[in-house]
Amino acid sequence: MKKYNIWLLAFIFLIAQQSFAQSGRLKAANRSFENMSYIEAIRNYEDYLRTAKTGTPEMKEALTKLGYSYRKVQDSRNAERIYAELIDRYSKELESEIYLYFAQALANNGKYKESQKMYSRYGQEQTTDMRGRRFTVAYMDNSHFYQDSATYKVDYLYALNSRQSDFSPMYYKNGLVFVSAREEGGAIKRVFMQNQTPFLDLFMFPDTAELRKDNIVAMKQASGVGGGSSFSASEKLEAMATEEKEKPLSKIEQFSKTLNSKYHEGPVTFFKDYKKLIFTRNNYNKGRSRTSSDGVNKLKLYMASENGKHWGGVKELPFNSDDYSCGHPALSPDDTKLYFVSDMPGGFGGTDIYVVDYRDGNWGSPVNLGREINTEGNEMFPFMDENGNMYFSSDGHEGLGGLDVFYVEMKEGIPVSDIKNLGTPINSEKDDFGFITKGNRSSGYFSSNRKRGYGDDNLYSFRHGCRQLNILVYDAGSKKPLETVDVRMSKNGENKELFVTGSDGKVTVCLETGTDFEFKAMKEGYESNGVSYGTFASSLKNQTSITIYLEKSKAPIIKGTIVSEVNQRPIQGAVVTLKNGKDGSKEQIVTGADGRYEFQPKKEGDYSVTAAKDHYAENTESLGKVKQSRKSPKTVEQNLGLVGQGDIFRLENIYYDFGQFFIRPDAAKELETKLIPILKKYPNMRIEVRSHTDSRASDAFNLKLSANRARAVLDYLAARGINTNRVVAKGYGETELLNNCDDEAKCEEDQHQANRRTEFKILDISAVGMN
């Protein structure tokens, strides 16, 4: 009996010890989870669940947090396994988001039919979240994600990728700057707690022209080993023919040792002159880090400037916060708008895309891009192409799984088209993001974790062929091809590309799918003619050519370019109106990226042409009498310049003698020919006259001197009949030098004189053009 009691006590002690150990494992797992150490949490939860008692609240808690941890480290296969077990064991007591997470994990693993069922279940429980309904419908037929796949070729970038994460490329001069967790320089890098990988830094590859050659060499070295990109037979032959003694590729270097810190850096975007940049970094600057109220070091946006060979002057952007993240910057082509990602309060989902104005060194207030772009999910990694259109990644819009890349046309920072998924092979069932390209999307770069999956982002390049359409233009009488015919492509009433026929009367265009286009052919001496072509119902495989016939005509052609007065660049999105003064009839078009417009009026009359756009002063020019010619038709070309609110005009020849503020004769000539005509043309326009000095003398003296100089310009304008209520005169002293000639520098006189200048800025463009 005594022996029996000893064994019973030992058994009870063992059970208690196991129970205590179980409880300890769960507490350790929860502690790691709360600290966002997800790799460690996964290990502890898996240990706990091996011997956990089934059906208990503790087991449900452990499974729920384990599934979330697998999501955070992008292990979709294990996330699927855990969520399947959760639903099998606790289907009647689960939060609705578990069905969403399970649907997303299934899609990440290419199981779209099973994912559709889970999205449907989620949509039934969360009727206000559109993801359930959208993805349920999208996965009924996945074919639309594959319709353009044959026009793309994707390559894995051997030269850039490392064993660590590499992602978010950005154009920089002739090369790329990208984000990487690679270990360089032999130093031991600190490890990011969430996934036990090194912190991110910015790296640079100097010449993208070398990347194509490197992939050919890599194909030769790989000798058919799988896991890379697919190569055509011609590329394999090219690889075999490549000489062994090719010049070595340029080395990948840290982009800036002064910007890279012990925390995360990147992604980055550059101003168009590459002299300034905006980058993402953890909340850390000047050796000091800060955390949010719940103890998390958030992401912030910073600006830096190039100073010789180094980057410095790091400044935090004013709309950052310690309590939410801002990151993933993207600048508009003219550097006046910054798009970025944030989880600030008031958004639609996890992270949204915002836009903020940037003019004259001053930031506006961020504005959410709205429901057209942002969803209940995550919108991230915006990129603005040279036409001002946006690419971004999202897991909230219908896609193939994870983050997909999307495209939307923009005007003045506002989306004006439907969101388009780029489809395969740009997108996959994994995360695809950090997409950059030129305006015609013929080539570019992006990042994805498709190749090696779990926690491994890589860089890829792509080349985009086209769905080709041939347009043939013939003389209607002789049926012979017509050379030098302008063929304008337009979409939804807005001009797109302008093509010119060759000696065979043909132009070839590339079309995107799912869109209607119009083509208008115009040539002096002929009646313009056009045709519509839709890729919604038409297959380019069945029809690759359309023909336009032109009849002889004596009607004149009116055309021109709408440009910005401040820099003479073409203005896209300007509404151009041709008006017949005799009967009041009008024709209108909207300019494309080239700023061009074309009309062929059918009636005689006194015509005028007007250009208008939001935030610009409307401009109207008279064309006089326009009529048909008995001999040969005449082409009238009328270019129009627009001045916009916020534009700053440099009055190039307004300089001042050292320490003086009177108007020199050369300055008077500049005012008479440049400023006064604009003020007279737009009688309600208000401007600011901005005067600057060089750095010599004291700050106070220079501020007073520049104020006097600005006042001298105002007095000159008043003497010429300009109402002074329309003019604000302000001196900036030496606060905005154009060069490095500050108090410490030794500069020549001509360098100092460049800083002694006057500008005028458009404050109000409420005036209309003179009719």
Side-chain angles (χ1 to χ4, degrees):
M1 186 69 178
K2 187 175 181 181
K3 185 176 181 181
Y4 172 78
N5 287 337
I6 291 173
W7 280 108
L8 180 61
L9 289 171
F11 178 73
I12 292 172
F13 177 76
L14 181 63
I15 294 298
Q17 194 174 37
Q18 289 177 341
S19 177
F20 180 78
Q22 277 288 86
S23 175
R25 289 192 192 100
L26 182 59
K27 287 181 179 178
N30 285 337
R31 195 160 47 244
S32 299
F33 184 85
E34 290 167 4
N35 290 332
M36 296 184 289
S37 300
Y38 295 115
I39 294 291
E40 187 177 330
I42 287 169
R43 184 167 54 249
N44 289 328
Y45 283 127
E46 291 284 16
D47 285 346
Y48 168 78
L49 288 167
R50 286 191 187 95
T51 55
K53 187 176 180 180
T54 60
T56 63
E58 290 80 11
M59 186 178 192
K60 178 192 171 190
E61 176 191 6
L63 286 169
T64 301
K65 291 180 177 178
L66 177 58
Y68 186 83
S69 297
Y70 277 127
R71 276 172 51 84
K72 294 299 288 184
V73 299
Q74 302 176 349
D75 187 348
S76 60
R77 297 197 179 278
N78 277 310
E80 177 190 337
R81 171 177 62 86
I82 297 303
Y83 286 127
E85 185 175 350
L86 258 174
I87 290 173
D88 181 59
R89 291 180 182 276
Y90 304 97
S91 61
K92 295 182 180 179
E93 49 185 296
L94 290 175
E95 296 82 358
S96 59
E97 65 188 21
I98 298 300
Y99 295 100
L100 172 65
Y101 296 161
F102 190 27
Q104 291 172 333
L106 288 164
N108 286 159
N109 298 329
K111 300 178 179 179
Y112 296 114
K113 289 301 180 185
E114 296 93 329
S115 177
Q116 182 191 37
K117 294 176 183 178
M118 290 301 108
Y119 271 118
S120 178
R121 178 72 180 270
Y122 176 70
Q124 291 170 13
E125 299 200 14
Q126 288 288 345
T127 56
T128 59
D129 190 335
M130 297 302 294
R131 287 176 292 180
R133 187 185 308 170
R134 286 173 175 170
F135 280 85
T136 299
V137 173
Y139 289 165
M140 289 179 180
D141 179 8
N142 277 1
S143 61
H144 56 288
F145 294 123
Y146 299 87
Q147 61 187 5
D148 284 334
S149 59
T151 65
Y152 284 92
K153 185 178 185 306
V154 169
D155 285 316
Y156 176 84
L157 290 174
Y158 290 92
L160 301 189
N161 290 312
S162 68
R163 295 186 179 185
Q164 297 289 354
S165 186
D166 304 284
F167 63 95
S168 279
M170 180 54 62
Y171 294 115
Y172 176 66
K173 298 182 179 178
N174 295 323
L176 295 174
V177 172
F178 61 95
V179 183
S180 179
R182 69 186 63 203
E183 300 180 38
E184 297 286 337
I188 298 176
K189 294 193 71 173
R190 298 172 69 248
V191 173
F192 184 43
M193 190 181 298
Q194 287 193 18
N195 56 11
Q196 297 297 301
T197 60
F199 276 83
L200 303 167
D201 283 328
L202 294 171
F203 288 83
M204 179 179 69
F205 187 81
D207 189 359
T208 57
E210 297 185 17
L211 293 177
R212 169 73 176 161
K213 178 192 75 174
D214 175 71
N215 268 23
I216 296 298
V217 173
M219 180 61 195
K220 178 180 178 182
Q221 294 172 343
S223 300
V225 176
S229 58
S230 59
F231 288 82
S232 66
S234 62
E235 286 171 326
K236 291 176 182 177
L237 289 173
E238 186 178 351
M240 293 172 62
T242 303
E243 295 292 336
E244 290 283 359
K245 54 183 180 181
E246 286 280 6
K247 179 183 176 182
L249 285 171
S250 299
K251 287 185 177 181
I252 293 172
E253 303 172 350
Q254 283 198 59
F255 174 64
S256 169
K257 292 182 179 180
T258 57
L259 295 185
N260 287 338
S261 72
K262 61 182 181 179
Y263 291 104
H264 287 310
E265 275 80 34
V268 64
T269 187
F270 294 91
F271 286 77
K272 58 191 175 186
D273 62 0
Y274 297 114
K275 298 295 185 183
K276 293 187 295 184
L277 60 79
I278 297 172
F279 70 105
T280 312
R281 178 194 279 171
N282 282 109
N283 190 350
Y284 175 83
N285 196 23
K286 297 181 180 178
R288 181 181 176 186
S289 63
R290 297 182 177 88
T291 59
S292 61
S293 56
D294 56 357
V296 178
N297 185 267
K298 302 288 187 177
L299 297 175
K300 288 188 173 184
L301 289 168
Y302 300 86
M303 181 185 286
S305 302
E306 187 181 42
N307 183 12
K309 295 182 179 180
H310 303 286
W311 291 89
V314 176
K315 296 180 181 178
E316 180 181 329
L317 300 195
F319 46 82
N320 286 321
S321 170
D322 292 342
D323 289 315
Y324 55 77
S325 287
C326 295
H328 301 185
L331 283 162
S332 62
D334 61 0
D335 294 340
T336 63
K337 294 181 184 296
L338 175 70
Y339 298 83
F340 67 96
V341 173
S342 179
D343 59 356
M344 68 176 66
F348 295 100
T351 55
D352 285 1
I353 299 177
Y354 291 78
V355 61
V356 59
D357 287 332
Y358 178 70
R359 290 184 181 273
D360 308 326
N362 298 312
W363 293 100
S365 298
V367 176
N368 190 296
L369 283 185
R371 278 284 185 191
E372 292 83 356
I373 299 290
N374 295 313
T375 68
E376 296 86 351
N378 298 290
E379 281 65 50
M380 311 172 79
F381 300 98
F383 171 75
M384 307 302 295
D385 69 16
E386 61 207 57
N387 297 326
N389 297 319
M390 177 186 287
Y391 294 86
F392 66 98
S393 289
S394 170
D395 62 10
H397 292 282
E398 303 94 302
L400 287 162
L403 293 170
D404 273 19
V405 180
F406 295 84
Y407 168 78
V408 61
E409 291 188 35
M410 306 281 286
K411 275 187 183 179
E412 300 296 320
I414 299 172
V416 295
S417 73
D418 292 335
I419 306 296
K420 179 182 179 181
N421 186 304
L422 293 191
T424 61
I426 298 297
N427 290 321
S428 67
E429 69 273 13
K430 302 297 183 182
D431 287 330
D432 308 292
F433 59 99
F435 183 95
I436 62 173
T437 185
K438 300 301 183 183
N440 59 4
R441 205 190 305 157
S442 61
S443 64
Y445 304 88
F446 68 101
S447 38
S448 175
N449 63 359
R450 68 184 66 180
K451 183 173 183 289
R452 300 184 182 122
Y454 176 39
D456 190 14
D457 300 319
N458 295 125
L459 293 164
Y460 293 81
S461 66
F462 75 87
R463 284 175 289 153
H464 186 201
C466 74
R467 292 178 176 269
Q468 185 171 303
L469 175 67
N470 297 320
I471 302 171
L472 307 171
V473 185
Y474 293 102
D475 184 297
S478 67
K479 302 300 187 291
K480 292 181 178 180
L482 286 175
E483 189 176 4
T484 65
V485 179
D486 289 342
V487 179
R488 170 69 74 179
M489 182 171 74
S490 62
K491 183 174 73 170
N492 299 326
E494 180 175 342
N495 282 353
K496 297 299 180 183
E497 288 85 358
L498 179 66
F499 306 92
V500 180
T501 60
S503 58
D504 57 357
K506 184 175 75 173
V507 296
T508 300
V509 301
C510 292
L511 300 180
E512 59 186 275
T513 56
T515 308
D516 284 333
F517 296 93
E518 292 182 358
F519 297 95
K520 187 175 183 179
M522 186 175 291
K523 181 179 174 66
E524 191 175 82
Y526 288 86
E527 186 81 16
S528 62
N529 193 14
V531 63
S532 297
Y533 188 89
T535 58
F536 283 104
S538 302
S539 169
L540 292 180
K541 293 181 180 179
N542 299 329
Q543 183 179 3
T544 59
S545 299
I546 56 176
T547 304
I548 300 176
Y549 291 97
L550 299 185
E551 302 275 358
K552 291 287 183 70
S553 171
K554 296 179 180 179
I557 292 174
I558 298 172
K559 60 183 180 180
T561 305
I562 311 302
V563 299
S564 168
E565 287 278 17
V566 72
N567 55 25
Q568 298 303 302
R569 291 178 180 167
I571 293 180
Q572 183 175 5
V575 178
V576 184
T577 303
L578 180 70
K579 181 179 179 181
N580 187 325
K582 184 176 181 180
D583 60 11
S585 60
K586 296 179 180 179
E587 296 180 63
Q588 279 189 341
I589 62 96
V590 179
T591 59
D594 60 3
R596 298 284 297 171
Y597 70 90
E598 305 92 13
F599 295 106
Q600 189 174 39
K602 304 296 188 295
K603 303 175 183 178
E604 294 187 356
D606 288 316
Y607 279 88
S608 64
V609 61
T610 300
K613 186 178 181 179
D614 288 345
H615 308 299
Y616 285 84
E618 182 181 291
N619 189 9
T620 299
E621 296 290 346
S622 174
L623 302 177
K625 188 79 169 179
V626 175
K627 60 182 180 179
Q628 294 189 3
S629 172
R630 294 182 179 180
K631 297 181 180 179
S632 60
K634 183 176 69 171
T635 296
V636 178
E637 182 137 0
Q638 179 63 62
N639 301 323
L640 280 81
L642 297 184
V643 293
Q645 186 170 306
D647 283 350
I648 296 178
F649 290 80
R650 175 82 175 271
L651 294 169
E652 296 293 343
N653 297 314
I654 296 195
Y655 295 116
Y656 302 89
D657 294 325
F658 177 62
Q660 301 298 315
F661 55 85
F662 61 85
I663 300 297
R664 296 188 338 194
D666 54 356
K669 184 178 180 181
E670 182 78 352
L671 293 173
E672 293 287 351
T673 59
K674 193 167 188 178
L675 178 54
I676 292 175
I678 289 179
L679 291 172
K680 288 184 176 180
K681 180 164 187 172
Y682 304 105
N684 298 320
M685 179 182 286
R686 294 181 64 250
I687 67 167
E688 177 190 51
V689 173
R690 303 156 53 91
S691 184
H692 305 265
T693 69
D694 59 37
S695 63
R696 293 176 291 183
S698 68
D699 292 351
F701 177 82
N702 284 334
L703 275 175
K704 183 176 180 181
L705 177 62
S706 63
N708 287 336
R709 288 174 174 174
R711 181 71 193 184
V713 174
L714 186 149
D715 291 342
Y716 185 92
L717 295 176
R720 296 300 185 274
I722 302 299
N723 189 334
T724 55
N725 291 330
R726 300 172 56 196
V727 184
V728 176
K730 186 174 181 180
Y732 286 83
E734 59 182 275
T735 61
E736 295 186 5
L737 299 176
L738 293 178
N739 48 41
N740 295 322
C741 293
D742 57 18
D743 293 337
E744 307 299 324
K746 294 182 179 179
C747 295
E748 300 295 330
E749 173 58 28
D750 59 338
Q751 293 175 291
H752 284 300
Q753 179 163 295
N755 291 317
R756 300 194 302 268
R757 68 197 189 279
T758 296
E759 306 160 331
F760 70 92
K761 177 181 178 181
I762 308 299
L763 299 177
D764 185 358
I765 47 87
S766 59
V768 297
M770 304 294 288
N771 293 315

